[in-house]
Amino acid sequence: MYKTVVKRLFDFVLSGMAIVVLAIPMLIVAIIIKIDSKGPVLFKQKRIGLHKATFMIWKFRSMPTTVAKDMPTHQFTAKDQLSKWQRFMRKTSIDELPQIFNIFLNQMSICGPRPALWNQYDLIAERDKYGANDVKPGLTGWAQINGRDELPIDVKAKYDGEYTEALNAGSFKGLAMDIKCFFGSIVSVLKLDGVVEGGTGTGTAEKEQEVVHK
């Protein structure tokens, strides 16, 4: 009941409210992006959704247009090319805000495993071991409050598996897990926990691979 009906109702209502409340702040962010650097305000990437179906995720552009098209962030070594504003967006996860539209459209949930890029085969394969590809991806999740960018692929997938197990265990455990993820994410963002540029599951850092669409 919670997983199929209540969770979606929460997602729909909360994302709809967020779209209204954050409309002006997001407009301000868009204006700053245009002033700060050349290029589009938004970019989209193909991500893995429920049951490994693909969808297009939306983000605020937080990389310079000088970065080669389709370059994953972990391959981006010239960190000095990032403006102070771009660094701030990435540190505070402001660049993720447009995903409230993905949630509203039922492509994502507020809480769930972060959607992998279509070509993150290692992460997708690891999640298959835990059934984590068979739950809707989220804006934030259990892995995000337990290490975020610093987690190796196998550890991240294990946390995603723990989330999936709780969600499938029944309404109480599923709701309890989502509450922990939601409020834990707020604390993590405020403390900037686990945010490191570069690397992919090396134990030193893992920033989700992002594709810059010019």
Side-chain angles (χ1 to χ4, degrees):
M1 178 70 172
Y2 173 75
K3 179 181 176 180
T4 57
V5 179
V6 178
K7 184 175 173 67
R8 174 53 190 159
L9 180 61
F10 282 159
D11 288 340
F12 180 77
V13 173
L14 292 178
S15 63
M17 292 172 60
I19 289 171
V20 174
V21 173
L22 296 176
I24 300 301
M26 287 196 293
L27 176 60
I28 293 173
V29 170
I31 293 172
I32 295 175
I33 291 173
K34 291 301 292 184
I35 294 173
D36 181 68
S37 63
K38 294 181 179 179
V41 168
L42 298 173
F43 74 91
K44 58 183 179 179
Q45 345 173 260
K46 185 163 71 171
R47 294 281 182 126
I48 299 297
L50 180 64
H51 304 313
K52 293 191 282 191
T54 59
F55 71 101
M56 301 306 292
I57 198 173
W58 289 93
K59 291 190 174 188
F60 281 124
R61 181 179 60 81
S62 60
M63 297 280 276
T65 56
T66 52
V67 178
K69 185 178 181 181
D70 294 346
M71 175 185 285
T73 325
H74 74 276
Q75 296 177 3
F76 179 64
T77 57
K79 302 301 185 297
D80 58 328
Q81 291 184 20
L82 294 176
S83 69
K84 290 182 179 180
W85 172 248
Q86 289 167 341
R87 291 175 185 273
F88 177 75
M89 281 197 296
R90 298 172 71 79
K91 285 287 187 181
T92 58
S93 298
I94 287 175
D95 58 324
E96 311 284 359
L97 284 179
Q99 288 163 51
I100 58 178
F101 292 97
N102 291 113
I103 296 171
F104 189 76
L105 294 173
N106 202 24
Q107 297 169 326
M108 290 176 59
S109 182
I110 293 173
C111 297
R114 283 295 298 160
L117 269 171
W118 65 273
N119 59 356
Q120 279 187 295
Y121 305 116
D122 49 357
L123 177 57
I124 296 168
E126 283 294 321
R127 284 176 170 174
D128 267 337
K129 298 177 182 179
Y130 303 100
N133 291 313
D134 294 320
V135 298
K136 198 178 301 179
L139 178 64
T140 187
W142 189 230
Q144 277 57 53
I145 64 174
N146 283 285
R148 202 174 175 180
D149 300 340
E150 297 175 337
L151 295 177
I153 293 295
D154 58 338
V155 177
K156 174 181 276 191
K158 185 176 180 180
Y159 277 122
D160 291 334
E162 290 177 2
Y163 175 87
T164 301
E165 182 179 3
L167 191 64
N168 291 332
S171 297
F172 178 77
K173 288 187 177 180
L175 176 59
M177 174 61 83
D178 277 348
I179 290 174
K180 286 191 288 187
C181 290
F182 183 82
F183 289 103
S185 297
I186 294 175
V187 174
S188 294
V189 168
L190 292 176
K191 294 172 63 178
L192 304 182
D193 282 347
V195 182
V196 186
E197 292 291 350
T200 303
T202 61
T204 57
E206 181 192 1
K207 174 65 180 174
E208 284 183 275
Q209 297 177 0
E210 292 182 354
V211 182
V212 178
H213 293 263
K214 298 177 183 177

